[in-house]
């Protein structure tokens, strides 16, 4: 049930989704893998929307070089675990929801346990090696996954529904090298907000998801492009699922 306080807090959303849609958000569990440039806006907007349980996984501590784009974290948080910094901000933003944090590095050993019982998982990672592990676990556990990635002025977003859509390996066959890449805070904010929007649409059953489509954002030229992505019948991850 939506309380009177929640009806007031989410009144503008309830005009769109109805109380039934708001209850769906309240009863949902979302896992965000990372609380950095992408994870910050994702977490902020999902918390603001009233997603009832948000699980955040991150192993890092806040550094000065994070602060140009990782808007969950402030100067006073330098040296603090990112999950602790994130939890404090999100609890202040919306005390009606449950924030669960894990100060862990994602690996093939723990990834399935960490995303267990999630209604949807959000890829807010910064390297493809871990992304592919997350993609594989999500496909195997049949948990929808919203992928996002950024570099410089550019970013991309797609939504993966296991057994229905292409997975990440269908359209990115080789693992890009791990590197320190340039990034503008606004790029992470735009892509992260798009990812949060996909989550909200999925949980409420609203709109058209970015399934089978890779949205490319070119912030330098203020352009978006959609590239169709098809299921690879020989994909080592999803072809047999």
């Amino acid at each position: 049930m939506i309380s009177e306080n929640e009806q007031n807090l989410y009144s503008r959303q309830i005009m769109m989704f109805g109380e039934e849609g708001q209850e769906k958000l309240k009863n949902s569990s979302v896992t965000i893998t990372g609380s950095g440039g992408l994870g910050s806006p994702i977490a902020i907007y999902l918390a603001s929307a009233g997603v009832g349980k948000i699980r955040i996984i991150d192993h890092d501590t806040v550094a000065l070089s994070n602060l140009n784009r990782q808007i969950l974290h402030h100067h006073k948080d330098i040296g603090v675990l990112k999950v602790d910094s994130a939890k404090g901000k999100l609890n202040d933003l919306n005390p009606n929801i449950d924030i669960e944090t894990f100060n862990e590095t994602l690996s093939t050993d723990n990834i399935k346990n960490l995303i267990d019982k999630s209604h949807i998982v959000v890829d807010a990672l910064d390297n493809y090696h871990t992304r592919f592990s997350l993609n594989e676990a999500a496909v195997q556990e049949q948990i929808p996954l919203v992928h996002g990635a950024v570099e410089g002025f550019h970013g991309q977003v797609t939504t993966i529904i296991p057994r229905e859509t292409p997975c990440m390996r269908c359209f990115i066959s080789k693992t890009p090298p791990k590197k320190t890449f340039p990034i503008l805070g606004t790029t992470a904010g735009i892509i992260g907000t798009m990812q949060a929007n996909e989550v909200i649409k999925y949980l409420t059953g609203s709109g058209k998801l970015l399934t089978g489509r890779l949205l490319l954002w070119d912030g330098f030229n203020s352009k978006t492009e959609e590239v169709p992505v098809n299921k690879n019948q020989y994909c080592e991850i999803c072809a047999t699922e």
Side-chain angles (χ1 to χ4, degrees):
M1 292 290 293
I2 301 297
S3 68
E4 184 177 347
N5 174 272
E6 290 170 320
Q7 287 177 348
N8 187 36
L9 177 61
Y10 307 123
S11 60
R12 296 295 185 96
Q13 288 178 195
I14 291 172
M15 292 172 68
M16 299 168 59
F17 306 134
E19 289 192 19
E20 180 182 357
Q22 193 62 50
E23 286 185 9
K24 288 179 180 178
L25 292 174
K26 183 176 181 176
N27 295 327
S28 295
S29 176
V30 178
T31 296
I32 306 171
T33 56
S35 60
L38 290 172
S40 289
I42 294 165
I44 287 170
Y45 280 110
L46 293 184
S48 298
V51 171
K53 184 173 185 179
I54 298 175
R55 180 182 302 166
I56 299 175
I57 307 165
D58 201 310
H59 69 281
D60 211 351
T61 56
V62 180
L64 179 62
S65 61
N66 301 149
L67 302 184
N68 79 311
R69 65 199 180 280
Q70 300 183 16
I71 57 176
L72 263 179
H73 314 299
H74 304 160
H75 282 268
K76 67 181 179 63
D77 302 312
I78 292 173
V80 174
L81 291 174
K82 286 186 180 178
V83 290
D84 291 342
S85 171
K87 184 180 177 75
K89 309 297 191 316
L90 297 173
N91 281 335
D92 287 342
L93 180 63
N94 192 344
N96 300 296
I97 64 175
D98 179 26
I99 307 297
E100 185 179 23
T101 59
F102 292 88
N103 178 39
E104 295 191 42
T105 301
L106 282 174
S107 70
T108 53
D109 294 328
N110 65 11
I111 197 165
K112 287 185 179 180
N113 286 334
L114 289 173
I115 67 173
D116 185 44
K117 297 180 181 178
S118 303
H119 291 105
I120 190 167
V121 178
V122 194
D123 164 17
L125 297 162
D126 62 359
N127 73 89
Y128 278 90
H129 178 77
T130 311
R131 279 193 172 105
F132 286 137
S133 296
L134 178 63
N135 172 71
E136 182 173 359
V139 169
Q140 290 176 350
E141 299 302 303
Q142 297 182 44
I143 301 173
L145 170 67
V146 179
H147 160 69
V150 291
E151 182 170 344
F153 276 101
H154 297 81
Q156 63 187 41
V157 187
T158 192
T159 296
I160 297 162
I161 309 294
R163 292 190 173 179
E164 296 181 20
T165 71
C167 79
M168 203 182 303
R169 274 294 190 188
C170 288
F171 58 91
I172 308 174
S173 58
K174 295 183 179 179
T175 305
K178 188 173 182 179
K179 62 178 181 177
T180 301
F181 53 86
I183 178 64
L184 190 65
T186 52
T187 305
I190 289 164
I191 297 301
T193 302
M194 288 181 180
Q195 290 180 270
N197 194 57
E198 286 292 288
V199 172
I200 291 167
K201 288 191 299 179
Y202 175 78
L203 295 175
T204 59
S206 304
K208 184 177 180 181
L209 295 170
L210 274 170
T211 49
R213 300 177 290 154
L214 182 66
L215 186 147
L216 303 176
W217 164 251
D218 175 356
F220 191 77
N221 294 297
S222 299
K223 294 170 60 178
T224 58
E225 179 184 359
E226 278 189 17
V227 178
V229 289
N230 299 312
K231 203 171 177 68
N232 180 357
Q233 62 177 323
Y234 302 110
C235 178
E236 60 187 27
I237 302 303
C238 71
T240 58
E241 292 296 326

